[in-house]
Amino acid sequence: MSENRLAEQFSAYSQWRGALVATIGDYRNWLNEQELNDAQIDLRIQHLLDRLREDKLNIAFVAEFSRGKSELINAIFFADYGQRLLPSGAGRTTMCPTELLYDSGKPASLQLLPIETRATDATTTEYKRYPDEWTMFEFDVESSDGMVEAFREVGRTKRVTAAEATRFGLFDPQDPDDAMNLNEDGTVEVPLWRYAVINFPHPLLEQGLVILDTPGLNAIGTEPELTLNMLPNAHAVLFILAADTGVTRSEIDVWRQYISGTRWKQKGRLAVLNKIDGLWDDLKEPHEIEQEIAKQLTSSAEMLGLHADQIFPVSAQKALLAKVNGDSELLARSGLGALENALTEGLIPSKKEIVRDNTQSEIEDLINNSVLVLEARLKGMDEQVNELKGLRGKNEDVIEHMMNKVKLDKENFERGLQRFQALRSVFSQQANALFTHLGMESLKGEVTRTREAMMESRFTRGIQKAMEGFFHDLKGMLDKSDAQIAEIRSMMDAMYEKFSQEHGSRQISPPVFSTLRYQKELAKLERAYKEQFDTALNMLTNEKMTLTSKFFETLASRVINVFEVANRDVENWLNAVIAPMESQVREHQLQLRRRLESIKRIYKATDTLEDRIVELENVEQGIRRQLADLQVILQHIGTALNVDDQPEPDALAA
Ligand SMILES: Nc1nc2c(ncn2[C@@H]2O[C@H](COP(=O)(O)OP(=O)(O)OP(=O)(O)O)[C@@H](O)[C@H]2O)c(=O)[nH]1
Ligand SMILES: [Mg+2]
């Protein structure tokens, strides 16, 4: 129905996530009803649900100024407003990186970070933690005109002295290009804002889409946050060229350095040739126009190192116009459909796959643990019933003897508990050691040392050495953590084996964990650093020390982020390792107590033997039902996870 396949697929994806959240919620309710939930399990379920709900999909638009980024965003996402939502015009329009998203905890608003914040080393991500540093304008989402008016703010500039502009890292007196921007009165025009976040409840944004509009290529070089964080982590990056300008030197550089480079193999990196309507010459035959476009595609592709069919020819302007006027012929001619399809294909299936894999392993682990607990309980019940059946027709002495035996078992087990306590304390020590290797303290020390070494040495080589040392040490921290993890795992393995031998319970194998994914994350950062730093050696000769230090701060904050995630994951893993052992011990203790209780009651003749056996058999039935319920829940979750993509829209239309 909708002309926009991306919007359609994205809603299908959101529905899929929603259904998954609902099924996991059912599991949680069931656990509560059956009194099988505990704080640990609930926390893990909560994490899982939070992750699914907060799941974001980031799409970034990058190009030299005036290539039509903002227009393309309007055409793909915001045509429903019946007008140009984001300002788009000749010359430089978008002056600061602009993020469009929806956070329901905030009013529909424009949040703007003043350009003055560039005088500090703090990154925009860090500033996001301090709302009072931002200027906020609320707007009325019912009024498209009001929104258009508010969004103009992202294009505002002001004049500052050359000295100030230098302080912001936006002007270099030695650079002849920059010198041309100097006004007669000695001022320089700079953006009013460093960063903008537009928060409003658009259907796609509500579902977790985050759109990043960037100003011309200049900003890419001056805001390392973009190149080190936002672009590499975006799920899709659209790089836009324009048919009327051809491919320029700086476009080739940016494409190679920041978008393709070693990351080209990444899905969702698309090149677009915009403004093809400029070639729609009424005096030419359609095939001549086709040829003209094909020629442009081939030459642009060559310069970017792509095949011609990897670049999507579009007219953003005509597409927007066509959507606003409901002109399907013009829309088809604009080429937007093919781009939207490619974007959808490169984006949603792979995103879904990742979310599916992560959710699946976590939920299966949780359900397996529930099964294990119930199976152990069932086995205990079974033993108890058999024990009681064995007492049929026996006299009081035998029963007393039996009771003493169970008492002894219980005492033995309680003595065994001391061993468990000892293990628990060794486990805590090992966990502490692990956190020391992976710790934020040692990381912060490492960052400080590197920062000092970099600032001291104002030479490229010295800086490179400091950075190499930095990454080397980080790797060392992760290697040591891996060794510690292996040690914990083998200790727990042995412990689980012993426990299952002694108490006949099913053996659990603690989950595997390694720091590989953080190593990879760091390697990616190191590669990005190398690509960008080594190619931009002129940074230092230009005395752009501010940029170098900004660059480092961004890198450091990314590294800190990787370690924060690692710490959190390790904590979850440690819980997953020890929790089954704790629940087994608890369960075993409970069973011994129940057995003793049963026999005591029969001995004291408060219960008859047969009544008690029936009672226990009922309990057994209940556990079997719970196990059957779990199978059904597992099946539901499996279905929710594997619901295939929506049927092809073509098939629907037919
Ligand atoms: N003919 C034609 N003009 C277009 C097309 N797309 C955009 N434009 C025009 O090109 C100019 C620049 O478009 P913007 O959307 O502002 O470009 P931008 O890349 O966002 O530019 P900055 O914000 O300055 O970085 C505007 O005047 C648009 O109307 C197109 O497909 N065809
Ligand atoms: Mg723009």
Side-chain angles (χ1 to χ4, degrees):
M1 281 290 290
S2 155
E3 288 125 7
N4 193 335
R5 188 154 145 76
L6 177 65
E8 201 175 89
Q9 291 283 303
F10 198 72
S11 331
Y13 169 69
S14 301
Q15 273 169 22
W16 172 77
R17 259 186 336 163
L20 208 50
V21 165
T23 348
I24 295 172
D26 288 347
Y27 169 52
R28 184 196 228 170
N29 289 340
W30 180 84
L31 285 175
N32 287 334
E33 265 166 38
Q34 305 292 322
E35 291 174 7
L36 287 167
N37 209 349
D38 68 27
Q40 283 294 349
I41 298 176
D42 208 59
L43 195 68
R44 281 175 73 186
I45 296 181
Q46 190 58 46
H47 276 315
L48 197 60
L49 290 174
D50 287 348
R51 269 215 313 259
L52 277 170
R53 288 203 191 101
E54 284 160 19
D55 181 34
K56 297 273 183 218
L57 200 66
N58 297 286
I59 303 187
F61 289 72
V62 178
E64 189 52 279
F65 69 91
S66 218
R67 298 298 189 260
K69 295 176 290 285
S70 305
E71 189 81 332
L72 192 57
I73 295 174
N74 285 328
I76 299 180
F77 302 104
F78 303 130
D80 290 347
Y81 289 88
Q83 58 178 314
R84 259 187 199 108
L85 200 57
L86 292 179
S88 151
R92 292 177 196 268
T93 314
T94 314
M95 295 304 294
C96 61
T98 304
E99 221 177 305
L100 295 116
L101 49 79
Y102 185 57
D103 170 354
S104 59
K106 287 181 183 161
S109 61
L110 191 60
Q111 290 140 261
L112 299 147
L113 186 64
I115 196 75
E116 282 71 21
T117 57
R118 282 190 55 97
T120 66
D121 278 334
T123 65
T124 50
T125 307
E126 282 170 72
Y127 273 109
K128 281 183 184 166
R129 291 189 207 154
Y130 305 101
D132 52 330
E133 300 280 346
W134 298 66
T135 303
M136 184 159 106
F137 297 116
E138 293 187 22
F139 54 78
D140 177 9
V141 287
E142 298 305 326
S143 151
S144 300
D145 292 339
M147 285 171 77
V148 169
E149 189 49 41
F151 294 178
R152 275 195 228 291
E153 200 62 35
V154 302
R156 287 185 57 194
T157 57
K158 67 172 175 185
R159 292 185 166 201
V160 297
T161 62
E164 254 181 306
T166 311
R167 225 159 38 86
F168 301 159
L170 295 172
F171 185 78
D172 178 2
Q174 324 270 288
D175 187 328
D177 285 344
D178 281 8
M180 282 190 1
N181 296 331
L182 197 61
N183 297 313
E184 271 175 21
D185 60 357
T187 59
V188 179
E189 184 144 333
V190 297
L192 192 55
W193 309 110
R194 178 181 180 185
Y195 201 88
V197 178
I198 301 182
N199 188 52
F200 74 108
H202 174 277
L204 285 176
L205 304 183
E206 276 176 325
Q207 292 170 47
L209 182 74
V210 178
I211 300 170
L212 179 67
D213 189 8
T214 58
L217 297 184
N218 242 350
I220 297 215
T222 52
E223 199 61 85
E225 188 79 12
L226 287 177
T227 51
L228 282 175
N229 182 10
M230 312 199 72
L231 296 184
N233 290 324
H235 300 99
V237 178
L238 271 72
F239 186 70
I240 300 134
L241 305 163
D244 58 352
T245 42
V247 183
T248 65
R249 181 73 239 163
S250 60
E251 285 176 320
I252 297 177
D253 287 346
V254 165
W255 170 259
R256 290 209 184 129
Q257 266 186 47
Y258 303 126
I259 302 174
S260 72
T262 47
R263 293 183 287 275
W264 170 240
K265 280 170 212 81
Q266 214 173 311
K267 286 181 186 166
R269 297 299 181 262
L270 302 176
V272 177
L273 181 70
N274 189 27
K275 305 197 187 182
I276 54 163
D277 57 296
L279 304 170
W280 296 350
D281 183 340
D282 286 342
L283 296 178
K284 283 188 183 156
E285 294 292 323
H287 78 267
E288 285 178 294
I289 296 175
E290 285 298 312
Q291 265 173 5
E292 187 59 34
I293 294 176
K295 212 172 81 192
Q296 279 240 14
L297 288 175
T298 312
S299 68
S300 308
E302 231 163 59
M303 294 205 229
L304 299 185
L306 294 174
H307 289 294
D309 60 5
Q310 286 176 291
I311 303 185
F312 294 86
V314 301
S315 166
Q317 197 187 57
K318 297 294 182 242
L320 177 61
L321 185 70
K323 281 190 179 178
V324 168
N325 294 336
D327 180 344
S328 52
E329 201 178 313
L330 184 62
L331 185 61
R333 201 174 178 204
S334 76
L336 196 71
L339 175 62
E340 284 174 350
N341 282 348
L343 187 59
T344 310
E345 290 319 316
L347 208 55
I348 293 170
S350 57
K351 172 78 183 169
K352 190 170 165 185
E353 204 173 300
I354 294 169
V355 173
R356 185 193 342 238
D357 288 352
N358 289 343
T359 311
Q360 185 156 17
S361 54
E362 179 70 3
I363 195 78
E364 279 177 0
D365 197 47
L366 280 165
I367 293 185
N368 268 340
N369 280 341
S370 300
V371 169
L372 285 180
V373 167
L374 289 178
E375 277 179 349
R377 204 172 276 180
L378 189 61
K379 188 160 169 277
M381 280 297 152
D382 207 40
E383 277 167 10
Q384 238 188 99
V385 169
N386 284 337
E387 201 166 64
L388 293 186
K389 282 183 178 162
L391 292 181
R392 277 175 176 150
K394 296 282 166 30
N395 63 23
E396 233 169 65
D397 283 350
V398 178
I399 297 179
E400 185 175 3
H401 175 75
M402 189 71 175
M403 188 166 72
N404 288 335
K405 189 177 156 288
V406 178
K407 257 191 197 149
L408 207 66
D409 276 0
K410 192 163 170 278
E411 276 159 21
N412 272 341
F413 181 75
E414 251 131 44
R415 230 168 292 125
L417 268 187
Q418 286 168 2
R419 216 169 44 225
F420 177 70
Q421 301 304 354
L423 167 89
R424 195 79 184 73
S425 95
V426 176
F427 180 80
S428 302
Q429 281 164 18
Q430 301 237 21
N432 285 340
L434 177 53
F435 282 120
T436 317
H437 296 318
L438 209 55
M440 300 314 285
E441 282 312 307
S442 28
L443 176 62
K444 282 179 184 150
E446 199 57 55
V447 167
T448 312
R449 265 196 303 285
T450 313
R451 183 185 294 129
E452 279 162 6
M454 277 181 69
M455 290 307 141
E456 249 165 49
S457 117
R458 299 199 134 237
F459 296 100
T460 312
R461 185 62 209 125
I463 289 179
Q464 271 175 333
K465 251 176 78 181
M467 290 302 278
E468 272 161 24
F470 182 53
F471 280 109
H472 179 267
D473 291 350
L474 294 179
K475 192 171 178 318
M477 287 166 72
L478 290 183
D479 286 344
K480 277 194 212 134
S481 305
D482 265 340
Q484 191 67 39
I485 286 167
E487 201 165 313
I488 293 177
R489 200 167 176 273
S490 72
M491 173 179 91
M492 291 308 290
D493 242 343
M495 196 59 198
Y496 274 114
E497 193 180 330
K498 194 146 189 259
F499 191 86
S500 84
Q501 278 168 1
E502 281 176 9
H503 306 292
S505 57
R506 182 142 129 213
Q507 198 184 334
I508 297 175
S509 175
V512 183
F513 187 83
S514 95
T515 64
L516 185 66
R517 76 185 100 146
Y518 320 112
Q519 302 260 23
K520 280 195 165 155
E521 206 52 45
L522 289 182
K524 211 164 94 183
L525 278 175
E526 186 171 11
R527 257 197 331 266
Y529 141 74
K530 282 221 169 95
E531 268 171 36
Q532 296 176 27
F533 196 80
D534 291 1
T535 49
L537 284 184
N538 58 355
M539 261 190 207
L540 292 177
T541 52
N542 282 349
E543 295 180 78
K544 284 191 178 162
M545 221 34 209
T546 20
L547 184 56
T548 312
S549 67
K550 264 208 182 64
F551 188 85
F552 176 72
E553 294 313 322
T554 313
L555 191 73
S557 79
R558 292 290 304 142
V559 168
I560 288 173
N561 185 253
V562 170
F563 271 74
E564 275 168 357
V565 173
N567 271 280
R568 208 189 50 217
D569 290 351
V570 156
E571 203 163 324
N572 284 341
W573 175 73
L574 287 169
N575 276 335
V577 164
I578 197 78
M581 175 63 82
E582 279 176 339
S583 64
Q584 278 195 355
V585 168
R586 223 181 307 132
E587 200 53 39
H588 203 77
Q589 206 171 12
L590 199 68
Q591 269 167 30
L592 281 167
R593 205 175 311 139
R594 281 200 200 115
R595 268 170 73 192
L596 194 58
E597 185 63 17
S598 280
I599 302 175
K600 254 190 206 156
R601 277 156 72 175
I602 290 155
Y603 180 68
K604 288 189 187 149
T606 41
D607 269 2
T608 71
L609 183 57
E610 291 313 315
D611 285 349
R612 188 66 186 154
I613 289 175
V614 170
E615 199 180 308
L616 289 181
E617 278 172 344
N618 282 338
V619 175
E620 256 187 319
Q621 282 306 320
I623 300 173
R624 285 210 170 82
R625 269 196 303 275
Q626 288 177 324
L627 280 166
D629 281 355
L630 271 179
Q631 286 315 313
V632 174
I633 292 172
L634 195 60
Q635 214 173 16
H636 282 178
I637 291 176
T639 316
L641 277 167
N642 290 308
V643 165
D644 268 332
D645 306 293
Q646 297 286 298
E648 288 292 303
D650 301 334
L652 281 178

